[in-house]
Amino acid sequence: MFTNTDVSMQNKLKIINDPVHGFIKIPHEILFDIIEHPYFQRLRRIGQTGLLNLIFPGATHTRFHHALGAMHLMFTALETLKQKGVKISEEEEKGAMLAILMHDIGHGPFSHALESMLMDDWHHENLSLLLMNKLNEEFEGQLSMAIEMFQGKYHRKFFNQLISSQLDVDRLDYLKRDSFFTGVSEGNINTQRIISMMNVCDEGELVIDAKGIYSIENFLTARMFMYWQVYYHKTSALAEFLLVKILERAKYLISQGAELPATDNLKYFLYREKSAATDEDIERFTKLDDNDVIQAMKEWQNSDDFVLSYWCQCVIQRNLPKTIISSHPFDQEIIKEKIKKSNELFGIDNGNELVHEIKRKLFPYHAEKQPIYLLHKNGRRTRLHESEDQLLSGLIVNKTTRYILMFPRDISRLDS
């Protein structure tokens, strides 16, 4: 029971009702403080899956949802390991939960798609680390262990692996969550079963109890199916590509002296010259979200520049270009023909801006870089794909590549 003097703590130990995992506990005050911080609240306005809702209408969930879910799975994993005799201090528990809670805090608008356009190839993990360090100053060093874990430098390796590996709680949450919101059942993994099979070997590494091998194989194949069926779906890949082309075109036009309407923060990045990140860059970035980009695209539909106007209309009106997918690169003659027809249809001479080949590749399971180990009852470890019991792991260790050709849908009229 809490006394009257514990009111402030009691108010911070919330329970959140999540549609995917059910009730999520916030067991430490500092977690609540980070969730309430404006840096983290911004994630409510950053979609988890970019423009995926153009293909799967239910995919409107946010990075905020995902971060809370990953924090919950981290707590569940640590509780499981404790029950198996792994010593975990309260400070380590807080550190691991904080690290996974903040792992996406540096995501920009529409997630991965626009990172390079807005912040000069700064990966979101770099931005997350930068924001974590600023928060650590604000919270007087309470995030130091979390930052060490996030960077993969903590001396107990399994903490680092729970945050980032081929079987981390980040992946466990986004697969189950994205499956739920897209309605694609192939990604609906059993997170509780997988977590219940987690263990730590004598070397301090995260392993899976050998009897959980098929749950892990199901997880790996589910991830592969989700990538090709959802994340790398040809229309999804197209929509993400269009976002990049729109911002790229806008920056080019501005460099040529054009005036484009945009919110102050987006305009700041459109005009920004390449340089190391400054304090103002960071301050502006933490106020930028999906709404800035959507508002800009709505305005730019009426741009005098045909290419920018065309791309924005494609996205806002969901009148997307046509796509063809192939396991091999497209013949250059086919691409040239699509460009020629685009010029004829629109009466332009830069049809090459409207025709592109998009490439997507996937390594379902990187057996050498980050192998998943099975722990047998006798203490012996084996790599997943080398286990005598594996059924699928040996088949998904090779890289797969797909090519997508995009071109204006209306040029098909010229063929009739």
Side-chain angles (χ1 to χ4, degrees):
M1 289 289 293
F2 290 106
T3 65
N4 289 334
T5 58
D6 293 322
V7 171
S8 62
M9 179 182 288
Q10 184 179 15
N11 288 342
K12 292 182 178 181
L13 301 181
K14 302 288 188 181
I15 294 177
I16 299 169
N17 194 355
D18 178 66
V20 176
H21 301 304
F23 291 115
I24 293 175
K25 295 179 181 178
I26 301 177
H28 304 290
E29 283 187 88
I30 185 63
L31 295 168
F32 180 84
D33 291 335
I34 294 298
I35 291 169
E36 289 289 281
H37 195 280
Y39 286 1
F40 191 85
Q41 288 293 313
R42 182 183 70 97
L43 298 182
R44 290 182 183 271
R45 304 184 298 279
I46 303 288
Q48 169 72 9
T49 52
L51 288 173
L52 203 60
N53 64 320
L54 293 178
I55 302 97
F56 302 95
T60 56
H61 54 305
T62 66
R63 290 275 158 190
F64 185 86
H65 293 136
H66 164 58
L68 292 177
M71 179 194 73
H72 167 72
L73 293 183
M74 176 64 81
F75 179 74
T76 306
L78 296 180
E79 288 297 301
T80 297
L81 294 178
K82 287 179 190 177
Q83 291 169 8
K84 294 185 178 183
V86 180
K87 299 296 183 184
I88 297 172
S89 70
E90 182 175 321
E91 287 306 306
E92 287 176 323
E93 178 180 287
K94 279 196 279 190
M97 293 183 72
L98 282 165
I100 199 64
L101 180 68
M102 296 185 293
H103 78 284
D104 275 349
I105 204 167
H107 259 292
F110 292 103
S111 303
H112 301 281
L114 302 182
E115 285 171 4
S116 61
M117 292 307 305
L118 296 177
M119 290 294 282
D120 299 334
D121 297 318
W122 272 59
H123 192 271
H124 69 270
E125 290 183 359
N126 294 326
L127 291 165
S128 291
L129 181 59
L130 197 153
L131 293 180
M132 283 185 199
N133 283 320
K134 289 181 75 69
L135 287 169
N136 198 30
E137 292 178 14
E138 189 173 328
F139 286 95
E140 300 178 338
Q142 293 186 66
L143 312 183
S144 296
M145 185 180 291
I147 292 171
E148 192 176 352
M149 291 177 177
F150 176 78
Q151 292 180 290
K153 296 178 179 179
Y154 194 62
H155 67 280
R156 303 182 76 188
K157 189 174 180 181
F158 71 90
F159 282 107
N160 308 326
Q161 291 172 301
L162 283 170
I163 294 162
S164 180
S165 68
Q166 291 200 95
L167 194 58
D168 55 38
V169 295
D170 174 23
R171 295 186 184 193
L172 290 180
D173 182 80
Y174 78 64
L175 282 178
K176 191 170 184 67
R177 188 169 302 277
D178 295 348
S179 169
F180 177 88
F181 281 99
T182 59
V184 177
S185 60
E186 286 80 359
N188 186 19
I189 57 174
N190 189 340
T191 55
Q192 295 305 310
R193 167 68 176 172
I194 292 170
I195 288 174
S196 72
M197 292 295 105
M198 289 181 173
N199 211 328
V200 175
C201 66
D202 292 338
E203 290 80 4
E205 289 194 53
L206 185 70
V207 292
I208 297 296
D209 290 333
K211 62 184 178 181
I213 182 172
Y214 300 127
S215 296
I216 303 308
E217 289 201 314
N218 181 64
F219 159 75
L220 292 173
T221 52
R223 182 172 179 268
M224 179 180 67
F225 286 132
M226 282 294 285
Y227 265 86
W228 289 124
Q229 194 169 341
V230 177
Y231 311 127
Y232 287 174
H233 182 288
K234 63 177 185 171
T235 310
S236 173
L238 166 66
E240 182 176 303
F241 185 80
L242 287 182
L243 279 174
V244 174
K245 298 305 290 184
I246 286 169
L247 268 293
E248 187 180 85
R249 187 69 180 178
K251 290 191 79 167
Y252 166 75
L253 293 172
I254 284 173
S255 72
Q256 300 300 302
E259 289 284 337
L260 293 177
T263 61
D264 287 344
N265 288 312
L266 179 57
K267 188 174 289 188
Y268 173 85
F269 286 103
L270 293 175
Y271 279 89
R272 179 180 175 274
E273 298 291 337
K274 284 196 173 187
S275 65
T278 65
D279 287 342
E280 185 175 5
D281 290 340
I282 303 306
E283 182 64 24
R284 294 275 191 171
F285 180 81
T286 58
K287 295 177 180 176
L288 197 64
D289 56 49
D290 290 2
N291 296 319
D292 295 272
V293 179
I294 292 172
Q295 179 61 32
M297 289 191 292
K298 288 169 65 177
E299 296 277 359
W300 297 344
Q301 289 181 99
N302 303 314
S303 171
D304 292 334
D305 180 73
F306 175 80
V307 173
L308 181 62
S309 172
Y310 176 77
W311 287 146
C312 291
Q313 288 179 42
C314 285
V315 174
I316 296 299
Q317 299 175 25
R318 204 201 177 280
N319 184 20
L320 299 168
K322 189 170 178 58
T323 53
I324 304 172
I325 192 167
S326 171
S327 57
H328 304 285
F330 286 89
D331 188 285
Q332 287 301 308
E333 291 304 314
I334 294 176
I335 295 175
K336 288 178 182 177
E337 181 64 19
K338 299 298 184 187
I339 293 172
K340 178 174 177 289
K341 288 182 177 180
S342 296
N343 285 333
E344 292 175 6
L345 176 65
F346 297 114
I348 58 178
D349 59 7
N350 58 345
N352 59 297
E353 296 283 354
L354 308 183
V355 181
H356 294 277
E357 182 181 75
I358 306 169
K359 182 179 179 181
R360 289 289 182 269
K361 57 185 178 181
L362 177 67
F363 234 138
Y365 172 54
H366 205 308
E368 300 304 322
K369 187 177 181 182
Q370 289 182 321
I372 295 172
Y373 284 96
L374 301 174
L375 181 66
H376 299 270
K377 288 184 178 179
N378 61 6
R380 182 173 60 91
R381 289 193 312 162
T382 57
R383 297 201 295 181
L384 175 65
H385 66 291
E386 295 174 345
S387 169
E388 294 178 355
D389 295 322
Q390 66 87 16
L391 297 175
L392 300 169
S393 304
L395 302 175
I396 58 174
V397 295
N398 298 314
K399 182 168 62 178
T400 309
T401 306
R402 294 287 183 270
Y403 300 86
I404 302 165
L405 181 63
M406 55 166 283
F407 53 89
R409 185 172 297 275
D410 292 342
I411 67 174
S412 58
R413 295 204 312 260
L414 300 179
D415 296 326
S416 57

